[in-house]
């Protein structure tokens, strides 16, 4: 299925009030070549969703009727059906999820509900809505499922995850994402639903909720708090700037083959402790805080149970077949990210209030 046959008139984005979703909506409306359709952002606004992240988009593109927000749960079938009908949805980009590994260890149920049942609900509504009179599913529609490299498990010192690596999820989060990936591919294989799927490595950038490593550490440095490093600090992640992820997803939507998976990664592996030291230098320089003082706050804490040791993505397929590549260096992306957190204290205040604070205190105590 080539791009020419896909409509992209009315794109349903789930989880658009979260970190990657809100960056993707900005990207589609302001940077994506050739997109002039409407975006419908469906989000239930959990602790991780913040409508403030898109306040300017809402004001500008809401007025020109290219952006719509719908408050609701992807598990609510009647509601999802009503959205497909109301906006004549022809494309789904499915970001909505419970996304934090630590939370999945403490309370897996929400992950099963949203990541498994929610994905099933969306797929099944798409299948019914996109069925033509002859019983076949229209092939100019598209369901793009956003997933993670964590479905592949954990690597030793060498090797990379390819699209052919067998699934081996090891946390409730990654097991729930693996399950949703299998459902998406099963709907493609069994019913002919036009599905593409991407498995991406760790993203970072503006609007990321400060429970994830990079924003948590930036804010703790600025506030003089401890910097909690799990285990020996030598776990490895492959970091990608969120804007490069956006471009990869848009590339797959346009040129990706139906029923296929694409790995997306930064080719940018860092041990957590080494990353932290780079971040300390950047924050120290930008915020005028003594680097040694920040370094003194590094605190080794109890390891995450079942902590995956190393992730590393082989993304040669999307590069070779679709022509995508990373454009933002790690140094540049981190500088940008620190600048953004320094410039947006009201966003930080807003997202840290209420449920998030209570949840963190209940589960971890003061951090
Ligand atoms: P996030 O936690 O920042 O945002 C998730 C969003 O989904 C929030 O706005 C939340 O309100 C919404 N949501 C949750 N449950 C919902 C429900 N039942 N109905 C409707 N909306 C709901 O997550 P993120 O980091 O932006 O991740 C987005 C997607 O990308 C996820 O599917 C995640 O698995 C995947 N992913 C993330 C990363 C990463 O590094 N953050 C890397 C690879 C893949
Ligand atoms: O690989 C993609 C995945 O990346 C996504 O699917 C997930 O949604 C996303 O949350 C992320 O998962 P990680 O578990 O890798 O990200 P996190 O930021 O939670 O942790 C990154 C590394 O830093 C990991 O090795 C654990 C460690 N860590 C994390 C926190 C929050 C610490 O040492 N201290 C911390 O306080």
């Amino acid at each position: 299925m080539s791009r020419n046959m896909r409509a992209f008139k009315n794109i349903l984005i789930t989880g658009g009030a979260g970190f990657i979703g809100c960056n993707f909506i900005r990207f589609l409306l302001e940077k994506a070549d050739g997109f002039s359709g409407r975006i419908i952002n469906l989000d239930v606004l959990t602790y991780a969703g913040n409508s403030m992240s898109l306040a300017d988009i809402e004001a500008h593109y809401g007025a020109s009727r290219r952006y719509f927000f719908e408050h609701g749960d992807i598990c609510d079938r009647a509601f999802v059906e009503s959205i497909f009908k109301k906006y004549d949805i022809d494309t789904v980009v499915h970001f909505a999820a419970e996304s934090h590994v630590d939370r999945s260890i403490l309370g897996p149920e929400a992950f099963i509900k949203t990541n498994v049942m929610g994905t099933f609900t969306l797929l099944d509504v798409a299948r019914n809505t996109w069925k033509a009179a002859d019983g076949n599913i229209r092939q100019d529609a598209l369901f793009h499922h956003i997933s993670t490299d964590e479905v592949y498990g954990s690597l030793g010192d060498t090797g990379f995850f390819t699209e052919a690596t067998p699934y081996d999820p090891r946390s409730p989060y990654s097991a729930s994402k693996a399950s949703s990936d299998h459902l998406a591919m099963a709907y493609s294989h069994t019913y002919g639903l036009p599905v593409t799927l991407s498995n991406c490595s760790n993203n970072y950038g503006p609007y990321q909720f400060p429970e994830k490593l990079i924003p948590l550490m930036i804010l703790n440095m600025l506030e003089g708090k401890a910097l909690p490093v799990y285990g020996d600090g030598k776990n490895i992640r492959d970091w990608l700037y969120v804007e490069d992820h956006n471009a990869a997803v848009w590339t797959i939507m346009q040129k990706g083959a139906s029923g296929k998976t694409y790995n997306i990664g930064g080719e940018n592996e860092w041990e957590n402790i080494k990353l932290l030291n780079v971040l300390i230098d950047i924050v120290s320089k930008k915020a005028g805080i003594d680097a040694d003082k920040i370094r003194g706050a590094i605190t080794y804490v109890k390891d995450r149970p079942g902590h995956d040791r190393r992730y590393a993505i082989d993304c040669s397929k999307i590069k070779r077949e679709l022509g995508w590549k990373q454009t933002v260096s790690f140094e540049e992306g981190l500088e940008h990210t620190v600048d953004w957190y320094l410039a947006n204290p009201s966003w930080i205040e807003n997202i840290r209030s209420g449920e998030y604070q209570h949840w963190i205190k209940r589960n971890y105590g003061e951090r």
Side-chain angles (χ1 to χ4, degrees), residues 99-102 104-105 148-162 168-175 199-203 234-240 264-272 304-314:
S99 69
H100 193 43
V101 175
D102 292 328
S104 83
I105 294 166
T148 168
D149 59 358
E150 300 199 11
V151 297
Y152 296 123
S154 181
L155 292 164
D157 292 342
T158 57
F160 298 91
F161 298 134
T162 73
D168 181 24
R170 293 147 49 98
S171 72
Y173 163 70
S174 53
N199 296 94
C200 190
S201 65
N202 287 60
N203 282 219
K234 294 192 171 169
N235 298 67
I236 291 175
R237 297 293 181 265
D238 169 14
W239 294 94
L240 180 72
I264 308 168
E267 300 179 298
N268 179 40
E269 291 179 51
W270 284 81
E271 275 184 2
N272 293 335
R304 171 185 282 174
H307 196 174
D308 287 340
R309 192 64 173 169
R310 173 172 168 258
Y311 303 144
I313 278 274
D314 174 341

Side-chain angles (χ1 to χ4, degrees), residues 10-227:
N10 298 312
I11 303 186
L12 177 64
I13 298 196
T14 68
F19 162 49
I20 307 178
C22 82
N23 278 289
F24 186 68
I25 288 173
R26 286 180 185 284
F27 173 86
L28 269 190
L29 289 169
E30 291 173 345
K31 295 190 182 158
D33 275 346
F35 175 65
S36 56
R38 303 192 297 175
I39 288 177
I40 297 85
N41 175 7
L42 189 171
D43 198 302
V44 78
L45 299 179
T46 66
Y47 75 95
N50 184 356
S51 44
M52 192 177 162
S53 301
L54 288 167
D56 56 327
I57 292 286
E58 177 107 47
H60 186 72
Y61 293 97
S64 59
R65 309 203 52 78
R66 289 194 63 207
Y67 173 79
F68 301 83
F69 179 72
E70 291 283 351
H71 187 201
D73 192 330
I74 57 167
C75 301
D76 180 346
R77 186 176 183 115
F79 178 70
V80 173
E81 281 172 347
S82 75
I83 297 299
F84 268 73
K85 285 206 178 71
K86 181 174 170 186
Y87 295 100
D88 190 20
I89 298 299
D90 52 57
T91 309
V92 177
V93 188
H94 176 33
F95 289 95
E98 288 292 337
S99 69
H100 193 43
V101 175
D102 292 328
R103 285 178 194 261
S104 83
I105 294 166
L106 288 159
E109 194 174 342
F111 288 71
I112 305 307
K113 281 191 181 144
T114 287
N115 301 0
V116 183
M117 287 307 294
T119 302
F120 158 72
T121 304
L122 286 164
L123 287 164
D124 211 50
V125 171
R127 169 172 84 96
N128 283 326
T129 312
W130 293 341
K131 203 183 280 173
D134 64 1
N136 292 321
I137 294 180
R138 54 184 277 207
Q139 294 298 304
D140 62 342
L142 180 70
F143 191 110
H144 183 75
H145 179 59
I146 302 286
S147 193
T148 168
D149 59 358
E150 300 199 11
V151 297
Y152 296 123
S154 181
L155 292 164
D157 292 342
T158 57
F160 298 91
F161 298 134
T162 73
E163 287 82 357
T165 302
Y167 274 32
D168 181 24
R170 293 147 49 98
S171 72
Y173 163 70
S174 53
S176 68
K177 290 297 291 187
S179 173
S180 67
D181 292 11
H182 289 318
L183 280 169
M185 280 309 167
Y187 268 66
S188 165
H189 185 75
T190 307
Y191 302 115
L193 190 76
V195 170
T196 47
L197 195 159
S198 50
N199 296 94
C200 190
S201 65
N202 287 60
N203 282 219
Y204 69 101
Y207 301 101
Q208 187 168 30
F209 194 80
E211 63 188 349
K212 308 280 164 57
L213 181 73
I214 289 180
L216 174 85
M217 292 299 181
I218 294 172
L219 297 190
N220 282 11
M221 287 178 205
L222 294 175
E223 292 163 7
K225 293 186 182 162
L227 309 177

